[in-house]
Amino acid sequence: MTFRLAADRIPVTGLTPALPDPRWHPKAFEGEVVPFGATVFREGHDLVGALLVLTAPSGRVLRRRMRTAGSGTDRWTAEVQLDETGRWHWHVTGFDDEIGTWRHDAAVKIDAGVDVDLMYELGARLLDRAAAERERPAAARRAIAALAARLRDPQLDPAERRGLVDDPALAEFELRPLSRLAGDSPERELLVERRRAGVGSWYEFFPRSEGAKRRPDGSWKSGTFRTAVKRLDGIAAMGFDVVYLPPIHPIGVTNRKGRNNTLDPGPHDPGSPWAIGGPLADGTPGGHDAIHPDLGTLADFRRFVREAAARGIEVALDLALQASPDHPWVADHPEWFTVLPDGTIRYAENPPKKYQDIYPVNFDDDPEGLFAEVLRIVHHWIAQGIRIFRVDNPHTKPLAFWERLIATVNAEEPDVVFLAEAFTRPAMLQALAMAGFQQSYTYFTWRNTKEELEEFLLGLARDTADFLRPNLFVNTPDILTEYLQFGGPAAFTVRATIAATAAPTWGVYSGFELFESVARPGAEEAIDNEKYEYKPRDFALAESEGRSLALYLGILNRIRAEHPALGQLRNLHVHRSDDEAVLVYSKRLAAEFTGTGADDTLIVVANVDPHSVRETTVHLELDALGLPPGSTFDVEDLVTGQHWEWGADAYVRLDAFTRPAHVLHVRPRAADASERIAHD
């Protein structure tokens, strides 16, 4: 009987990055530093090594020697900054490290005076073998042949001869090891998407509110894309680089909602933009490929997109697969909806919320026809300059639909990004990310205590980072948490600080900077909700009167732009404090990845109790900061410009009413920096 063995002579197992389900591949974004890992071992005591081999989409091959993750673990790791978009392929080669084994044994025995000449001869014979390998560069072969001759020279000074065990010529074996035994892992795939898929600062606003004016008779003149352009300067000044627009399509009249989600709209109530489908300027019905006539024309929209781009801002458009009763789909494709026994079409519900103005789509009766229509709509908006879609409630649609749609679109337009508004169960949220969504809303808005945040942020950085990219929105038109309702300006400051520094992508909904915190009674959403009415805001007046967080949001986004460590997800490390309300974490990016030649390390300390002053000691793990034990170092508060001298233990005082958080830049002292270099 013939057996097909699964194990190689040098087994390689446990490859990461990897997904919980092997049907899908892990992903990263351009410029992301990805930790690769593998378990490599063999029988006995001879040393093994591991080599990571990556092939970029361009065909370029990268080789990285992997390092042990800890004595006795058999785990090997290497970090690589991926600089090309597209599909990378990679594998790990495990090998018996003959040079490493000899160097280890030689150091022990020579220093002990045991088998000294024998150890030198064994090393020389290994080098003879390596020098004969034709695939090695000629210069390297000459260098190791010369080293072999010196190892055999008994006339050398003993100390000089002993130093040959660590000779620089042995660096040749870093990427071209000498081995007789090897094993390759299976080839793996890693999708690298454009940087905006993983890094961005989002700002959500309703164009109809920008420039809206109330007439003396109580009716409204809607804001338009032309008036909304004026808001772009303020958004750019705050450093946001993505503007997200709720649906811009015609709004249904049937069952239209009034103010605060009431069922009795007034004659001037504009309705919810998510009730898509309604009359155009000529009275005919328009749907997902049309623009609400109050907002302007398609040409006006394209101009808005161009104006945003001129300010370094991308426009994200809402993709909400649902229809008002007045949508053309209802008449033309009744098979796309669920008809109840009484002949009515089922409307949307999210108990206790009811959406009588919205019909959810049924994906089962004509899946091909519906897929073709949605694909057409996405292509239509791509043609208008849209490269980012925020998808409304994707968890209420089939997973297979999204996998097919995103794969089809990205096959033609790989730079298109889909954000999942997936406030749902973890299994579905994560499956949507695995199946193709580039970004995901998360449970961040409901994680407010120190303990909750530590667990949540570590989970994002470690457990799901191979496939799920969080977008830490601090609020939405639907979500105004009790923390913001009752926490005052401190709560807004703390939430913005954490969102902007803990993940590479974050976002705010317009009004956050004005501390809008009054909720509709019994609800978790703002009263006089902008979903159902015009809401013009005087941002300039609020700033002049000191009632705005805009300046602080701009500082946070400037810090993000200046510090590459904040452009990474996986590098978050939680530290301890003695206070149950003081959250401490750091983000470090090593010098080899920053582009500046220096480490970039930040420490965030936040008082998550917005009603108190907290004084405590924080306890820092210096190795996570790239510093040797016992280091002292300078920290600069990047908001206030203050400086302090810190060590592993440091005192902090955070006053919720004046300065509830620190964003600190670590500046090693000269002596400590040199020690760190030597330590590394």
Side-chain angles (χ1 to χ4, degrees):
M1 181 179 294
T2 302
F3 292 96
R4 182 182 178 185
L5 300 178
D8 286 312
R9 185 62 180 78
I10 304 293
V12 180
T13 64
L15 297 180
T16 56
L19 266 61
D21 192 312
R23 287 176 292 180
W24 294 296
H25 300 294
K27 57 191 175 186
F29 56 84
E30 185 180 15
E32 185 172 10
V33 176
V34 177
F36 292 84
T39 299
V40 181
F41 57 93
R42 66 166 298 176
E43 81 290 345
H45 300 289
D46 285 356
L47 300 183
V48 298
L51 190 67
L52 172 66
V53 182
L54 303 102
T55 302
S58 64
R60 178 171 52 108
V61 177
L62 304 178
R63 291 178 172 83
R64 297 288 186 271
R65 184 71 176 262
M66 304 180 80
R67 304 300 177 195
T68 180
S71 178
T73 66
D74 294 320
R75 192 71 186 160
W76 298 79
T77 63
E79 290 188 331
V80 181
Q81 191 167 37
L82 301 175
D83 56 358
E84 285 187 31
T85 59
R87 297 192 181 276
W88 290 64
H89 294 85
W90 63 279
H91 70 272
V92 173
T93 297
F95 56 89
D96 64 318
D97 187 357
E98 294 190 82
I99 295 296
T101 298
W102 167 71
R103 292 179 69 185
H104 172 271
D105 293 348
V108 172
K109 290 193 172 185
I110 293 172
D111 290 349
V114 177
D115 298 333
V116 173
D117 289 331
L118 175 62
M119 295 312 300
Y120 286 130
E121 179 59 27
L122 287 173
R125 292 190 180 193
L126 291 175
L127 296 178
D128 289 343
R129 249 180 59 212
E133 293 177 341
R134 296 291 180 180
E135 62 272 18
R136 295 185 186 276
R141 293 168 59 198
R142 290 192 295 271
I144 56 181
L147 178 59
R150 297 185 70 201
L151 285 171
R152 290 188 170 103
D153 185 356
Q155 303 303 316
L156 279 179
D157 177 80
E160 182 180 355
R161 196 180 187 193
R162 170 63 179 83
L164 298 178
V165 176
D166 300 310
D167 193 89
L170 297 175
E172 158 65 15
F173 302 103
E174 177 78 6
L175 297 180
R176 288 181 288 270
L178 181 70
S179 65
R180 294 185 184 276
L181 308 174
D184 286 331
S185 75
E187 193 83 1
R188 294 293 176 89
E189 187 176 293
L190 177 66
L191 175 63
V192 177
E193 297 170 302
R194 70 174 176 121
R195 188 161 180 81
R196 180 66 71 230
V199 182
S201 300
W202 289 51
Y203 187 91
E204 175 183 1
F205 81 101
F206 288 64
R208 72 184 185 187
S209 290
E210 296 300 326
K213 295 182 179 178
R214 191 157 200 168
R215 302 184 180 100
D217 65 356
S219 64
W220 283 87
K221 177 178 174 56
S222 173
T224 68
F225 286 123
R226 288 181 177 271
T227 59
V229 164
K230 299 175 183 178
R231 180 65 186 137
L232 293 176
D233 287 333
I235 294 169
M238 290 186 288
F240 290 99
D241 46 33
V242 177
V243 158
Y244 154 49
L245 305 181
I248 59 174
H249 317 299
I251 297 172
V253 176
T254 303
N255 296 334
R256 174 174 287 189
K257 292 295 186 73
R259 295 185 65 200
N260 289 312
N261 200 28
T262 62
L263 296 175
D264 54 345
H268 308 305
D269 287 335
S272 168
W274 282 272
I276 298 171
L280 298 172
D282 62 2
T284 60
H288 284 73
D289 56 357
I291 287 176
H292 196 297
D294 287 354
L295 295 177
T297 65
L298 195 61
D300 292 331
F301 176 74
R302 287 196 293 263
R303 175 176 174 267
F304 179 86
V305 173
R306 292 195 301 272
E307 292 283 355
R311 295 162 173 81
I313 298 172
E314 287 195 59
V315 176
L317 198 62
D318 203 289
L319 180 62
L321 300 187
Q322 57 210 30
S324 84
D326 305 314
H327 196 293
W329 288 351
V330 177
D332 298 341
H333 294 282
E335 70 276 12
W336 291 356
F337 304 94
T338 299
V339 179
L340 299 174
D342 63 0
T344 62
I345 295 176
R346 186 180 69 187
Y347 61 76
E349 293 184 81
N350 183 17
K353 296 178 181 179
K354 296 183 178 182
Y355 304 97
Q356 294 90 338
D357 54 341
I358 292 173
Y359 289 161
V361 174
N362 182 324
F363 285 79
D364 295 327
D365 293 339
D366 181 22
E368 290 302 316
L370 189 56
F371 177 83
E373 172 67 354
V374 176
L375 183 61
R376 181 190 70 81
I377 289 166
V378 171
H379 280 151
H380 169 73
W381 292 111
I382 290 174
Q384 313 312 315
I386 296 299
R387 289 295 184 272
I388 306 176
F389 293 90
R390 179 270 193 189
V391 178
D392 190 69
N393 287 326
H395 52 285
T396 61
K397 288 83 178 173
L399 181 67
F401 172 85
W402 293 120
E403 180 179 25
R404 181 184 179 191
L405 179 72
I406 295 171
T408 302
V409 172
N410 284 156
E412 302 172 356
E413 305 281 353
D415 61 336
V416 172
V417 172
F418 292 86
L419 165 63
E421 186 225 15
F423 295 126
T424 182
R425 302 180 306 279
M428 186 59 159
L429 189 157
Q430 294 180 20
L432 288 164
M434 287 189 283
F437 276 94
Q438 282 82 8
Q439 295 181 18
S440 302
Y441 281 27
T442 67
Y443 312 123
F444 174 68
T445 50
W446 299 285
R447 302 294 185 265
N448 296 296
T449 69
K450 172 185 175 180
E451 183 179 7
E452 289 171 345
L453 284 164
E454 287 179 343
E455 179 182 10
F456 173 74
L457 295 177
L458 283 176
L460 294 178
R462 298 178 182 177
D463 300 340
T464 58
D466 288 343
F467 61 93
L468 189 149
R469 302 191 193 106
N471 190 325
L472 300 187
F473 256 83
V474 290
N475 68 326
T476 76
D478 286 317
I479 301 174
L480 179 66
T481 61
E482 290 186 1
Y483 188 88
L484 293 179
Q485 290 178 33
F486 304 109
F492 286 75
T493 303
V494 168
R495 296 302 290 177
T497 303
I498 297 172
T501 58
T505 301
W506 78 300
V508 307
Y509 156 55
S510 181
F512 180 87
E513 66 268 49
L514 303 185
F515 308 114
E516 292 181 1
S517 59
V518 181
R520 183 164 56 88
E524 196 186 51
E525 61 182 34
I527 198 168
D528 302 329
N529 198 296
E530 194 172 3
K531 287 172 61 176
Y532 308 107
E533 61 183 272
Y534 300 102
K535 199 164 189 174
R537 299 174 174 93
D538 194 333
F539 295 100
L541 177 63
E543 287 188 49
S544 68
E545 295 179 350
R547 297 182 291 104
S548 174
L549 197 62
L551 178 61
Y552 186 72
L553 299 183
I555 291 172
L556 288 176
N557 280 327
R558 174 182 55 77
I559 292 170
R560 285 167 52 86
E562 294 175 353
H563 290 275
L566 298 182
Q568 302 289 325
L569 173 64
R570 306 167 192 259
N571 60 343
L572 184 139
H573 188 93
V574 170
H575 303 263
R576 292 189 303 111
S577 80
D578 292 336
D579 192 295
E580 63 182 8
V582 175
L583 173 71
V584 189
Y585 58 87
S586 66
K587 302 198 92 176
R588 174 184 176 242
L589 192 61
E592 62 183 299
F593 304 124
T594 62
T596 65
D599 283 7
D600 185 38
T601 305
L602 291 96
I603 302 169
V604 177
V605 189
N607 173 8
V608 299
D609 178 2
H611 306 288
S612 69
V613 177
R614 298 283 176 154
E615 297 183 61
T616 189
T617 300
V618 300
H619 306 284
L620 303 172
E621 298 176 37
L622 296 182
D623 58 339
L625 306 179
L627 298 171
S631 295
T632 58
F633 50 94
D634 295 324
V635 293
E636 177 190 2
D637 189 311
L638 296 175
V639 177
T640 66
Q642 293 173 283
H643 290 257
W644 297 279
E645 178 185 328
W646 275 23
D649 304 298
Y651 163 82
V652 295
R653 183 181 189 274
L654 296 171
D655 186 338
F657 307 103
T658 56
R659 185 63 62 194
H662 289 312
V663 181
L664 304 170
H665 185 211
V666 175
R667 299 180 182 276
R669 297 186 167 193
D672 289 333
S674 63
E675 288 179 33
R676 177 183 57 78
I677 294 170
H679 178 71
D680 290 346

